[in-house]
Amino acid sequence: MKKLMNLALPIMCIGASFANADAIENRIDVLLETMTIDQKVGQLALRDFGTYSAEQLPELKAQIRRGEVGGFLNVSFSSVDDNAFAELQKIAVEESPQGIPLIFGQDVIHGYETIFPIPLGQAASWNPELVKKGARIAAKEATTDGIRWTFAPMIDISHDPRWGRIAETLGEDPYLASVLGVAMTMGFQTDDPTRPDAMAASAKHFIGYGAAEAGRDYNAAYIPEARLRDIFLPPFKAAVDAGLMTIMSSYNTLNDIPATANKHALKTILRDEWGFDGFVVSDWNAVMEMLPHGFARDAKHAAELSANAGIDFEMYTDTYQKFLPELIEEGKFTEAKLDQAVRHMLRIKMRLGLWDNPYPRGNRDTVILSDEHRQAAREAARESFVLLKNDNSVLPLNKEAKIALVGPLANVPHEQLGTWIYNGDKKDSVSLVPALEQYLGGNESFTFVKGLEYSRDTSTQNFNKAVEAAQQADVIVYVGGEESILSGEGHSRADIALPGAQQELVKALSETGKPLVTVIMAGRPIELGPVLDQSDAIMMAWHPGTMAGPALVDVLYGDYSPVGRLPITWPKGEGQIPIYYNRMATGRPATEDNYTLIGDIEQGVFQHAPGNSSNHLDYGHEPEFPFGFGLTYSDVDYSNLVIPSSRVALGETIRASATVKNTGKVQTTEVVQLYIRDLVGTRTRPIRELKGFQRVTLAPGESQAIHFELPTEALAFHNQNMEKVTEPGDFELWIAKDAASGLKGRFTVYE
Ligand code: BGC
């Protein structure tokens, strides 16, 4: 065991010399010289503290003392040691051979103790600043405990709302997920990750996890290379270009190769093409899961496969510790590769300034759940709500109207928090009932009847009470959807309708003839079925987090006009899945008049009479709601599309503008979206692709010209040779409210 006194000075300088990349690399060279193989392998061990019993702690501490642990996850909810962060770190820093600090990571996904809307909800804000602020606040809170690394952003692209983890994504579109993923990354990391309140971000899951077949979590993914590069990889590339520090590989196989041992993804694309220089962490137990995958023969083989593929940090399992030294002796792995992995680890620890600030910030009382944080969570929640329907302007509600508040999710502080809320506590969370009581000042103008005990409840025994309350009221507000547990990891659904007897309850309420506002809390789009017609208004609230109640009151009563837009296409039912707006053109596209719906087909007609186009006989060809869709309490008119120069040379910039006018009676925020279509390509091209968006707030009557600039590189895609190129030719362009409408123009790119 070498402990060199002359290391002390460079160690102290590490944080201060963050700006100097050479100093970091030199410092790593010096450290590597002093480390034994076991200590190097130790840096690659990420232990799950949550899995240790009190009896195992002494041996664990001895391992840290020997320099054989690189970091921990899940320390903050330890049941065996309240002060673990500081204690474990002290051993690493003061007693281990090189004094290399541990890195503490955790799933801080949409807040630490102040819980923000689930990421899909945040994405519905189409507001990068809001997403960044949410991550900043989460980092400020988590670092008080010593967590300097988060397993976020999740920027998997998915076209399948059955997949439970769609809740954690930033939507279906590569451009939107790139913009928001970068915002979240920067919120966590800041421009100066040595700040004690900064966290290293980990973009996940690399790669293809969101394409799990049938939306069944962990299932195989098949993605052709060009599609991988055009749709699934761009958010990761954008995050890497923005300075992302770490990446997590995924559980799935991609084209039959587990992502955990996928050299093509982890080496060729990530390191060689993109030049990523941070570390790659495997997902929890994923190295060992290559055994049930039938890809690794045993634990030693799994270590060999993942280490050689480029997994640096092994999460939870200990195959590296057990087998890398002998794999090196056997020539199946090399010390040079080991050094490279350790370099990735140390580089990130140094960039985080862990040598200067290894310990928890410790100022919990002033930071956690502060008024400022709760207010930000409230703002984020109300910006995430998407108004899907609002017949006869039933919303906003009139403060004088008598409300029947019904539904299994109207008053359940836990269920509004959503998936991955390890440190979120229901006691800090405000539901709609107390928020309404406070807003209405206890004037008895609302009655609350649950109707169903929980979202999956099938008992109709309390329907009468709910219907009675509805009959006495001027308007019914139904709050239903999915409990938190119905989305998230491992929680996919084959049937995405409202669970339990909720549809029956909504039907019973609608039969009272009273105006019915349906608020849905869920981790995915829900098949609405008859609920769509039965409800006068529908608002998607996702899982809004700690401040769901006050945020709902803000929007339901019109103190704040809804601004959310769908970051995902909303299907009519599972039969339309996979569903996404940027689909490829078919040779027989459906239009309004080239197909017949099932109920309209005459008996015994000639085979082709109902039409032969790309549609479903029962659902037609359109989704329930398109990507980008969302109503407000106002109306915005689009006019005057101008493309000043409709012929643009390759390498130049396309300019387009349109005028948007608030024709309604209240201030509103419009999300003006720019789409293009490449009309002919050497690979078929999507029928629309989002290329930009701008949020603009307009007073009643106000109009503004919105200008977009699009360099021709932004039109590039991967051709048959996997070269990213912009092909000259004709394009359509829309400035639009959503992916299914808009002012349409054309331009040509020439060489
Ligand atoms: C999930 C990851 C998560 C990790 C650590 C895994 O099961 O797939 O997203 O970061 O656990 O909790």
Side-chain angles (χ1 to χ4, degrees), residues 73 107 151 165 204-205 209 248 251 283-284 315 420 422 489:
L73 75 151
D107 292 280
F151 308 145
R165 299 197 79 171
K204 68 189 188 185
H205 305 81
Y209 188 36
M248 187 186 294
Y251 282 127
D283 205 343
W284 200 92
M315 195 192 297
W420 286 122
Y422 279 172
E489 186 177 350

